[in-house]
Amino acid sequence: MDGNGRWAKQRGLPRVEGHRRGVEAVRSTIETARDFGIEYLTLYAFSVENWRRPEEEVGALMNLLEYFLKRETSTLISNKVRLRTIGRTQDLPAKVRRELERTVGATAHFTEHTLVLALNYGSRTEVLDAVQSYAAAVQTGEVDLHDTSWTTFARHLYTADLPDPDLVIRTSGETRVSNFLLLQAAYAEFVFLPIFWPDFSRAEFAAAVTEFNRRERRFGRTGEQLAPTVPAISGTG
Ligand code: IPE
Ligand code: MG
């Protein structure tokens, strides 16, 4: 979700106003994902690098997060959306942690739709945390160092029980990944949109999904291997 600040700047408004409008786009995006039958929606809300922003902006983002959780929990419950987080949430302010725990707890039993908030998230810190957890598992004998696979290692990522993303959308015109799900997006399709996050509407979401459906996903195979086999016409009678 990128471009809140520029959206505001373009209108001569303070950056925080862009973030406020960004929250509205979050609301509608959650609703749209649900309507489209998307089972997992992950929103990159705050990165480990975002702490480098001015204290005032970081504070405003945390307040908005708290406000969002307070206001949206009932909607998540009535829409049967489970909330999960990825990232070092233990380092978020106590008031945010409290709201997160409340909402995660209140929605934990839903299975149809999952909203994942990436909070204080970064792929590199995720790798470090995973390696630490993996090494501990090797030490206890739970994991055999010599009998290892990606699946075994991936169980130590924040996303252990979440599927890899099929589609990654970035708004604002930047064509960077910015430390987001680097490992999980190994085979994701990317769509970069030239619009700012507050302008990400249902129509934009639908267009990105249409673009996704046009892509041929080969996962290392050839296009021929994927093409439906044409039944051979044989015989003369
Ligand atoms: C939203 O957009 C990103 C966050 C929620 C941290 P930005 O705040 O990065 O907006 P720009 O890139 O400055 O326009
Ligand atoms: Mg940005």
Side-chain angles (χ1 to χ4, degrees):
M1 303 188 283
D2 196 15
N4 292 350
R6 279 165 284 170
W7 182 94
K9 193 175 178 183
Q10 221 174 40
R11 288 161 179 77
L13 298 167
R15 289 180 60 85
V16 64
E17 193 49 39
H19 294 313
R20 268 193 212 109
R21 290 296 295 259
V23 173
E24 299 314 312
V26 165
R27 271 173 69 104
S28 77
T29 300
I30 296 168
E31 204 175 287
T32 304
R34 197 181 162 275
D35 293 350
F36 286 177
I38 292 168
E39 288 174 82
Y40 292 85
L41 173 71
T42 302
L43 299 173
Y44 198 6
F46 195 83
S47 74
V48 292
E49 288 83 13
N50 283 148
W51 296 108
R52 296 176 187 157
R53 293 188 177 201
E55 204 178 307
E56 189 191 313
E57 181 164 342
V58 170
L61 285 167
M62 293 303 149
N63 286 342
L64 274 172
L65 183 56
E66 183 193 1
Y67 160 80
F68 168 82
L69 292 165
K70 278 191 169 139
R71 197 182 66 166
E72 294 306 310
T73 300
S74 60
T75 311
L76 294 176
I77 293 170
S78 53
N79 288 335
K80 296 188 163 60
V81 179
R82 171 174 73 138
L83 179 72
R84 277 280 318 265
T85 60
I86 52 172
R88 288 185 177 168
T89 50
Q90 67 271 24
D91 298 334
L92 294 171
K95 58 174 188 174
V96 172
R97 280 195 333 257
R98 217 167 19 240
E99 291 307 320
L100 278 174
E101 271 163 36
R102 216 199 300 270
T103 311
V104 167
T107 61
H109 56 293
F110 297 127
T111 53
E112 266 172 80
H113 301 278
T114 302
L115 167 66
V116 184
L117 289 182
L119 293 170
N120 196 16
Y121 176 84
S123 285
R124 288 178 174 179
T125 32
E126 179 179 31
V127 168
L128 295 174
D129 288 346
V131 166
Q132 205 164 56
S133 149
Y134 186 82
V138 169
Q139 235 163 17
T140 61
E142 191 190 315
V143 167
D144 178 356
L145 188 57
H146 304 286
D147 168 30
T148 192
S149 66
W150 174 251
T151 322
T152 307
F153 181 72
R155 277 201 279 270
H156 299 269
L157 295 168
Y158 303 145
T159 52
D161 54 345
L162 301 169
D164 285 344
D166 291 305
L167 168 64
V168 176
I169 303 171
R170 182 176 186 149
T171 56
S172 94
E174 309 293 0
T175 44
R176 287 190 287 275
V177 184
S178 300
N179 211 6
F180 182 61
L181 298 180
L182 294 181
L183 298 171
Q184 297 86 343
Y187 275 97
E189 296 298 325
F190 284 80
V191 168
F192 295 100
L193 299 176
I195 53 154
F196 296 137
W197 174 252
D199 293 325
F200 184 72
S201 63
R202 190 184 184 91
E204 297 284 350
F205 201 164
V209 171
T210 302
E211 168 59 25
F212 169 80
N213 285 323
R214 266 201 290 267
R215 306 272 177 91
E216 184 185 64
R217 306 186 75 197
R218 292 189 290 273
F219 300 97
R221 295 186 179 84
T222 69
E224 288 69 29
Q225 284 178 297
L226 298 176
T229 46
V230 181
I233 300 165
S234 62
T236 50

